[in-house]
Amino acid sequence: MLRSKRFEILEERPVNKDGFVKEWPEMGFVAMSSPNDPKPSITIENGQIVELDGKRREDFDMLDQFIADYTIDRSLTEQVMALDSLEIAKKLVDINVSRSEIVRLSKGLTPAKVLEVLNHMNVVEMMMALQKMRARKTPSNQCHVTNVRDNPVLMAADAAEAGLYGFDEQETTVGVARYAPFNALALLVGSQTARNGILTQDSLEEATELRLAMLGMTSYAETVSIYGTESVFMDGDDTPWSKSFLASAYASRGAKMRFTSGTGSEVQMAGADGKSMLYLEIRCVMMAKGAGVQGLQNGSISCIGIPASVPSGIRAVLAENLATTLFDMEVASGNDQTFSHSEIRRSAKMLCQMLPGTDFIFAGFAAVPNNEDMFAGSNMDSSDLDDYLIIQRDMMVDGGLKPVDEESLIKTRYQAAKALQVIFEELGFPVITDEEIEAATYANSSVDMPQRNVVEDLKAAERILRDGISGFDVALILAKRGYRQTAERIFNMLKHRVAGDYLHTSAIINKDNVVISAVNDENDYKGPGTGYRLSPERWEEIKNIRQAISPQDFD
């Protein structure tokens, strides 16, 4: 059979390597509107919610009960539920309706009502609403710093480089679990070499992650997963109450934390109960609100391949980000796991969050090559940094990053690796050689690094937890060995733990060591000329990319 040459060319395009499926509501393969989704309703008797979205209290699962008892404002809900969902959707987009008014209304919504509201909105309207509903006025960004060998020297250098680019949060994880304390140490030292106030986390099983936070080796957590159906929740040996207890454990010890959820997780774990992905995610959002955490990492996250395979799936991801802000929580809005072979498609998804701005546009931009990203790769990686910076410049939009010159990058990577070297010396850990310092200064990936003695490294890493080596111990070593600036920055992070200001919603810490959050940097967008606007200084920073040619260069 003769074939169209155009079709043959199209079939070779990267996008056609992606997977797509037709809707299958019975198994949850539907993004935003399943025939099995409940209709909005609520009934209150004697001050108690006895019916929620068509389900009587005696039939509630644990999420229904938690949301009914801890999230929905019983004094307000009947009034709000009487409003037409289309009118609420219009209020979300209307610049004459304040963010605070929307937040007030959200307290009375049920999960099915939120779903109905969001289904009235197209992508552009959601982006307009997200620009208004973001908790913190100033947008920001987060990155992944990992490598396949868990090499601490390279990790410290990569963390320093990411700090220069402007990432306010940095997240790592491990290939080998016992390496975790080294990764946390390397991330702490590298990030604080770059500048004050970068928040770091080591994504692990929760007990170890909390222990590292208590030692001051990390400053936040977000990989505390919640789910939208009872069966999937229980599959993880958890309940909304156990997750709430864990959240309080972090907060009471001065560590910032948010939950993680995302469309598609219940489908991936074969427990969607025939509901739409967005409906189940709204339940997660409302559970997080009831638990009192600062916010949510959502945007499908590690399950992005599921919503990306069905119609309106990327719209659903944007909708779940908007739902989080609707309930006055910070959102780290996904874009952190790669989902497509198509650069065009990956960029289109990312722009839904970058253009309106979110609290953290990426929940993990890979500040390393994707083949080094132990989170299974990101929507963008270190090779995409120039593209991202130029998009900021093209659109005059703040994506949270800034251009970096090569000389500064090399210098800071070297300083971070040297700082880690003296810490290892003082603690009697396996030697970091000058050859490793040189390699880490100029490396792209772990392939460029000399091999380390893994067995001896693992023994030393375990000492951090066994001996209770703390961030304060690290700061003292650095001060003693002449790395006073990095030492003071680490000590500043420990002081923030005591003060607790960065436990406010959407908190970051700027280069001047000042906490910026939804409390002192509240989003006040009300249309053109309001809300976050690039300052002249920030615009100069964004537009002065190294590739730009100056007319004076030709004098």
Side-chain angles (χ1 to χ4, degrees), residues 379-417:
N379 197 46
M380 288 187 166
D381 73 353
S382 55
S383 66
D384 297 307
L385 280 164
D386 280 350
D387 298 78
Y388 190 84
L389 292 168
I390 291 169
I391 290 172
Q392 286 187 145
R393 185 178 188 263
D394 288 341
M395 305 289 191
M396 196 180 180
V397 65
D398 194 339
L401 302 188
K402 61 182 180 180
V404 173
D405 66 88
E406 188 174 4
E407 183 180 352
S408 297
L409 183 148
I410 290 170
K411 180 181 177 182
T412 306
R413 290 180 67 93
Y414 175 81
Q415 289 173 336

Tab-separated table of all heavy atoms in Angstrom, residues 379-417:
chain	number	residue	atom	x	y	z
A	379	ASN	N	11.042	17.319	33.723
A	379	ASN	CA	10.503	17.911	32.507
A	379	ASN	C	11.555	18.755	31.789
A	379	ASN	O	11.537	18.883	30.570
A	379	ASN	CB	9.288	18.778	32.858
A	379	ASN	CG	8.421	19.088	31.659
A	379	ASN	OD1	8.104	18.212	30.871
A	379	ASN	ND2	8.036	20.353	31.521
A	380	MET	N	12.473	19.341	32.554
A	380	MET	CA	13.618	20.055	31.988
A	380	MET	C	14.836	19.732	32.839
A	380	MET	O	14.714	19.480	34.040
A	380	MET	CB	13.373	21.563	31.960
A	380	MET	CG	12.360	22.012	30.939
A	380	MET	SD	12.256	23.821	30.803
A	380	MET	CE	11.350	23.986	29.277
A	381	ASP	N	16.020	19.742	32.207
A	381	ASP	CA	17.236	19.453	32.957
A	381	ASP	C	18.289	20.519	32.694
A	381	ASP	O	18.011	21.562	32.081
A	381	ASP	CB	17.749	18.048	32.659
A	381	ASP	CG	18.386	17.906	31.277
A	381	ASP	OD1	18.330	18.858	30.470
A	381	ASP	OD2	18.948	16.831	30.998
A	382	SER	N	19.510	20.285	33.155
A	382	SER	CA	20.561	21.300	33.077
A	382	SER	C	20.855	21.738	31.648
A	382	SER	O	21.291	22.869	31.421
A	382	SER	CB	21.842	20.788	33.743
A	382	SER	OG	22.252	19.545	33.177
A	383	SER	N	20.607	20.871	30.684
A	383	SER	CA	20.840	21.253	29.294
A	383	SER	C	19.770	22.203	28.768
A	383	SER	O	19.925	22.791	27.688
A	383	SER	CB	20.915	20.010	28.400
A	383	SER	OG	19.660	19.349	28.360
A	384	ASP	N	18.680	22.362	29.509
A	384	ASP	CA	17.588	23.250	29.110
A	384	ASP	C	17.657	24.617	29.795
A	384	ASP	O	16.772	25.464	29.574
A	384	ASP	CB	16.231	22.618	29.443
A	384	ASP	CG	15.986	21.325	28.692
A	384	ASP	OD1	16.118	21.338	27.454
A	384	ASP	OD2	15.659	20.315	29.337
A	385	LEU	N	18.658	24.844	30.622
A	385	LEU	CA	18.702	26.086	31.399
A	385	LEU	C	18.712	27.323	30.509
A	385	LEU	O	18.012	28.298	30.777
A	385	LEU	CB	19.918	26.084	32.332
A	385	LEU	CG	19.733	25.283	33.624
A	385	LEU	CD1	21.082	25.009	34.277
A	385	LEU	CD2	18.805	26.015	34.593
A	386	ASP	N	19.495	27.300	29.446
A	386	ASP	CA	19.542	28.469	28.562
A	386	ASP	C	18.179	28.720	27.907
A	386	ASP	O	17.735	29.869	27.789
A	386	ASP	CB	20.612	28.295	27.481
A	386	ASP	CG	22.011	28.609	27.998
A	386	ASP	OD1	22.130	29.144	29.117
A	386	ASP	OD2	22.988	28.311	27.280
A	387	ASP	N	17.509	27.648	27.473
A	387	ASP	CA	16.172	27.804	26.881
A	387	ASP	C	15.230	28.475	27.882
A	387	ASP	O	14.476	29.391	27.523
A	387	ASP	CB	15.594	26.439	26.491
A	387	ASP	CG	16.422	25.735	25.444
A	387	ASP	OD1	17.481	25.174	25.801
A	387	ASP	OD2	16.027	25.741	24.271
A	388	TYR	N	15.264	27.998	29.103
A	388	TYR	CA	14.375	28.519	30.139
A	388	TYR	C	14.657	29.992	30.416
A	388	TYR	O	13.743	30.820	30.513
A	388	TYR	CB	14.529	27.697	31.416
A	388	TYR	CG	13.505	27.982	32.476
A	388	TYR	CD1	12.262	27.375	32.449
A	388	TYR	CD2	13.771	28.867	33.517
A	388	TYR	CE1	11.304	27.622	33.434
A	388	TYR	CE2	12.826	29.129	34.506
A	388	TYR	CZ	11.598	28.506	34.453
A	388	TYR	OH	10.657	28.759	35.427
A	389	LEU	N	15.940	30.325	30.531
A	389	LEU	CA	16.320	31.715	30.799
A	389	LEU	C	15.900	32.632	29.648
A	389	LEU	O	15.469	33.772	29.870
A	389	LEU	CB	17.830	31.811	31.019
A	389	LEU	CG	18.354	31.139	32.298
A	389	LEU	CD1	19.871	31.038	32.251
A	389	LEU	CD2	17.911	31.898	33.538
A	390	ILE	N	16.000	32.129	28.429
A	390	ILE	CA	15.623	32.943	27.269
A	390	ILE	C	14.111	33.087	27.160
A	390	ILE	O	13.598	34.144	26.761
A	390	ILE	CB	16.258	32.370	25.987
A	390	ILE	CG1	17.780	32.591	26.034
A	390	ILE	CG2	15.666	33.007	24.736
A	390	ILE	CD1	18.566	31.853	24.980
A	391	ILE	N	13.358	32.052	27.553
A	391	ILE	CA	11.899	32.187	27.600
A	391	ILE	C	11.506	33.276	28.601
A	391	ILE	O	10.611	34.093	28.334
A	391	ILE	CB	11.232	30.845	27.958
A	391	ILE	CG1	11.367	29.858	26.795
A	391	ILE	CG2	9.752	31.044	28.293
A	391	ILE	CD1	10.922	28.443	27.125
A	392	GLN	N	12.162	33.314	29.770
A	392	GLN	CA	11.911	34.396	30.726
A	392	GLN	C	12.095	35.753	30.051
A	392	GLN	O	11.295	36.671	30.213
A	392	GLN	CB	12.896	34.316	31.907
A	392	GLN	CG	12.654	33.223	32.905
A	392	GLN	CD	13.580	33.354	34.117
A	392	GLN	OE1	13.178	33.051	35.216
A	392	GLN	NE2	14.804	33.794	33.930
A	393	ARG	N	13.184	35.868	29.301
A	393	ARG	CA	13.532	37.125	28.622
A	393	ARG	C	12.535	37.439	27.505
A	393	ARG	O	12.087	38.579	27.345
A	393	ARG	CB	14.944	37.005	28.056
A	393	ARG	CG	15.538	38.250	27.422
A	393	ARG	CD	16.955	37.897	26.981
A	393	ARG	NE	17.706	39.056	26.527
A	393	ARG	CZ	17.842	39.418	25.258
A	393	ARG	NH1	17.222	38.728	24.305
A	393	ARG	NH2	18.581	40.469	24.930
A	394	ASP	N	12.169	36.410	26.727
A	394	ASP	CA	11.221	36.597	25.624
A	394	ASP	C	9.872	37.117	26.117
A	394	ASP	O	9.255	37.987	25.496
A	394	ASP	CB	10.972	35.266	24.909
A	394	ASP	CG	12.152	34.800	24.088
A	394	ASP	OD1	13.023	35.614	23.753
A	394	ASP	OD2	12.203	33.583	23.784
A	395	MET	N	9.406	36.539	27.218
A	395	MET	CA	8.055	36.813	27.713
A	395	MET	C	8.020	37.914	28.777
A	395	MET	O	6.934	38.296	29.217
A	395	MET	CB	7.450	35.536	28.314
A	395	MET	CG	7.440	34.345	27.386
A	395	MET	SD	6.240	34.534	26.048
A	395	MET	CE	6.246	32.890	25.360
A	396	MET	N	9.183	38.376	29.202
A	396	MET	CA	9.293	39.290	30.343
A	396	MET	C	8.521	38.713	31.532
A	396	MET	O	7.661	39.343	32.142
A	396	MET	CB	8.799	40.697	30.019
A	396	MET	CG	9.265	41.742	31.034
A	396	MET	SD	8.668	43.401	30.629
A	396	MET	CE	9.385	44.326	32.008
A	397	VAL	N	8.859	37.465	31.858
A	397	VAL	CA	8.200	36.754	32.949
A	397	VAL	C	9.263	36.235	33.904
A	397	VAL	O	10.369	35.871	33.491
A	397	VAL	CB	7.332	35.601	32.401
A	397	VAL	CG1	8.174	34.536	31.730
A	397	VAL	CG2	6.490	34.986	33.489
A	398	ASP	N	8.938	36.220	35.190
A	398	ASP	CA	9.875	35.758	36.205
A	398	ASP	C	9.645	34.278	36.469
A	398	ASP	O	8.657	33.886	37.086
A	398	ASP	CB	9.688	36.557	37.502
A	398	ASP	CG	10.835	36.359	38.483
A	398	ASP	OD1	11.549	35.346	38.362
A	398	ASP	OD2	11.022	37.217	39.366
A	399	GLY	N	10.567	33.451	35.990
A	399	GLY	CA	10.509	32.016	36.236
A	399	GLY	C	11.366	31.581	37.401
A	399	GLY	O	11.581	30.385	37.610
A	400	GLY	N	11.864	32.556	38.163
A	400	GLY	CA	12.607	32.248	39.372
A	400	GLY	C	14.094	32.033	39.191
A	400	GLY	O	14.807	31.808	40.179
A	401	LEU	N	14.602	32.097	37.950
A	401	LEU	CA	16.022	31.841	37.706
A	401	LEU	C	16.715	33.066	37.128
A	401	LEU	O	16.068	34.024	36.706
A	401	LEU	CB	16.191	30.649	36.761
A	401	LEU	CG	15.572	29.326	37.210
A	401	LEU	CD1	15.998	28.198	36.281
A	401	LEU	CD2	15.916	28.995	38.657
A	402	LYS	N	18.041	33.018	37.108
A	402	LYS	CA	18.813	34.143	36.583
A	402	LYS	C	20.034	33.614	35.836
A	402	LYS	O	20.541	32.520	36.124
A	402	LYS	CB	19.240	35.069	37.716
A	402	LYS	CG	20.129	34.401	38.769
A	402	LYS	CD	20.467	35.366	39.890
A	402	LYS	CE	21.344	34.697	40.946
A	402	LYS	NZ	21.678	35.615	42.050
A	403	PRO	N	20.526	34.373	34.868
A	403	PRO	CA	21.712	33.948	34.129
A	403	PRO	C	22.938	33.870	35.029
A	403	PRO	O	23.059	34.596	36.019
A	403	PRO	CB	21.877	35.053	33.068
A	403	PRO	CG	20.538	35.693	32.965
A	403	PRO	CD	19.947	35.611	34.333
A	404	VAL	N	23.841	32.964	34.679
A	404	VAL	CA	25.079	32.753	35.440
A	404	VAL	C	26.246	32.779	34.471
A	404	VAL	O	26.178	32.190	33.388
A	404	VAL	CB	25.036	31.399	36.182
A	404	VAL	CG1	26.373	31.089	36.839
A	404	VAL	CG2	23.921	31.391	37.215
A	405	ASP	N	27.324	33.477	34.843
A	405	ASP	CA	28.510	33.475	33.982
A	405	ASP	C	29.410	32.297	34.352
A	405	ASP	O	29.420	31.816	35.488
A	405	ASP	CB	29.272	34.801	34.087
A	405	ASP	CG	29.875	35.027	35.456
A	405	ASP	OD1	31.008	34.575	35.688
A	405	ASP	OD2	29.198	35.637	36.313
A	406	GLU	N	30.166	31.845	33.381
A	406	GLU	CA	30.964	30.629	33.553
A	406	GLU	C	32.028	30.779	34.640
A	406	GLU	O	32.273	29.848	35.421
A	406	GLU	CB	31.622	30.249	32.224
A	406	GLU	CG	32.321	28.907	32.254
A	406	GLU	CD	32.833	28.483	30.896
A	406	GLU	OE1	32.707	29.274	29.937
A	406	GLU	OE2	33.358	27.358	30.788
A	407	GLU	N	32.636	31.941	34.729
A	407	GLU	CA	33.684	32.142	35.725
A	407	GLU	C	33.139	32.001	37.148
A	407	GLU	O	33.736	31.336	38.005
A	407	GLU	CB	34.317	33.526	35.546
A	407	GLU	CG	35.478	33.789	36.494
A	407	GLU	CD	36.090	35.169	36.298
A	407	GLU	OE1	35.711	35.864	35.323
A	407	GLU	OE2	36.962	35.553	37.108
A	408	SER	N	31.987	32.603	37.401
A	408	SER	CA	31.367	32.492	38.728
A	408	SER	C	30.961	31.057	39.029
A	408	SER	O	31.104	30.574	40.163
A	408	SER	CB	30.133	33.393	38.819
A	408	SER	OG	30.480	34.749	38.668
A	409	LEU	N	30.446	30.379	38.016
A	409	LEU	CA	30.022	28.995	38.184
A	409	LEU	C	31.196	28.113	38.593
A	409	LEU	O	31.114	27.331	39.556
A	409	LEU	CB	29.401	28.505	36.876
A	409	LEU	CG	28.822	27.092	36.828
A	409	LEU	CD1	27.640	27.052	35.864
A	409	LEU	CD2	29.876	26.082	36.366
A	410	ILE	N	32.306	28.244	37.890
A	410	ILE	CA	33.491	27.428	38.186
A	410	ILE	C	34.014	27.734	39.593
A	410	ILE	O	34.326	26.820	40.371
A	410	ILE	CB	34.583	27.672	37.123
A	410	ILE	CG1	34.149	27.060	35.781
A	410	ILE	CG2	35.927	27.094	37.567
A	410	ILE	CD1	35.026	27.456	34.612
A	411	LYS	N	34.083	28.993	39.930
A	411	LYS	CA	34.599	29.399	41.236
A	411	LYS	C	33.738	28.847	42.367
A	411	LYS	O	34.262	28.319	43.363
A	411	LYS	CB	34.648	30.925	41.314
A	411	LYS	CG	35.162	31.464	42.641
A	411	LYS	CD	35.151	32.992	42.645
A	411	LYS	CE	35.589	33.538	44.003
A	411	LYS	NZ	35.538	35.033	44.031
A	412	THR	N	32.432	28.943	42.226
A	412	THR	CA	31.538	28.505	43.300
A	412	THR	C	31.510	26.992	43.425
A	412	THR	O	31.457	26.446	44.541
A	412	THR	CB	30.120	29.056	43.062
A	412	THR	OG1	30.189	30.477	42.910
A	412	THR	CG2	29.196	28.733	44.220
A	413	ARG	N	31.543	26.287	42.309
A	413	ARG	CA	31.623	24.820	42.368
A	413	ARG	C	32.897	24.391	43.099
A	413	ARG	O	32.866	23.465	43.934
A	413	ARG	CB	31.584	24.219	40.956
A	413	ARG	CG	30.252	24.329	40.253
A	413	ARG	CD	30.309	23.701	38.862
A	413	ARG	NE	30.484	22.258	38.933
A	413	ARG	CZ	29.490	21.379	38.919
A	413	ARG	NH1	28.229	21.801	38.826
A	413	ARG	NH2	29.747	20.083	38.988
A	414	TYR	N	33.998	25.050	42.816
A	414	TYR	CA	35.275	24.721	43.476
A	414	TYR	C	35.178	24.968	44.980
A	414	TYR	O	35.595	24.128	45.792
A	414	TYR	CB	36.394	25.563	42.858
A	414	TYR	CG	37.735	25.394	43.532
A	414	TYR	CD1	38.548	24.306	43.237
A	414	TYR	CD2	38.187	26.326	44.463
A	414	TYR	CE1	39.787	24.151	43.858
A	414	TYR	CE2	39.414	26.179	45.089
A	414	TYR	CZ	40.206	25.093	44.785
A	414	TYR	OH	41.429	24.929	45.411
A	415	GLN	N	34.615	26.109	45.360
A	415	GLN	CA	34.511	26.444	46.783
A	415	GLN	C	33.659	25.420	47.537
A	415	GLN	O	33.987	25.034	48.671
A	415	GLN	CB	33.908	27.838	46.947
A	415	GLN	CG	34.837	28.972	46.524
A	415	GLN	CD	34.136	30.317	46.549
A	415	GLN	OE1	32.912	30.402	46.442
A	415	GLN	NE2	34.914	31.387	46.690
A	416	ALA	N	32.573	24.981	46.923
A	416	ALA	CA	31.699	24.004	47.582
A	416	ALA	C	32.406	22.672	47.778
A	416	ALA	O	32.318	22.054	48.851
A	416	ALA	CB	30.425	23.814	46.758
A	417	ALA	N	33.102	22.227	46.743
A	417	ALA	CA	33.827	20.960	46.854
A	417	ALA	C	34.940	21.044	47.899
A	417	ALA	O	35.155	20.098	48.669
A	417	ALA	CB	34.396	20.567	45.495
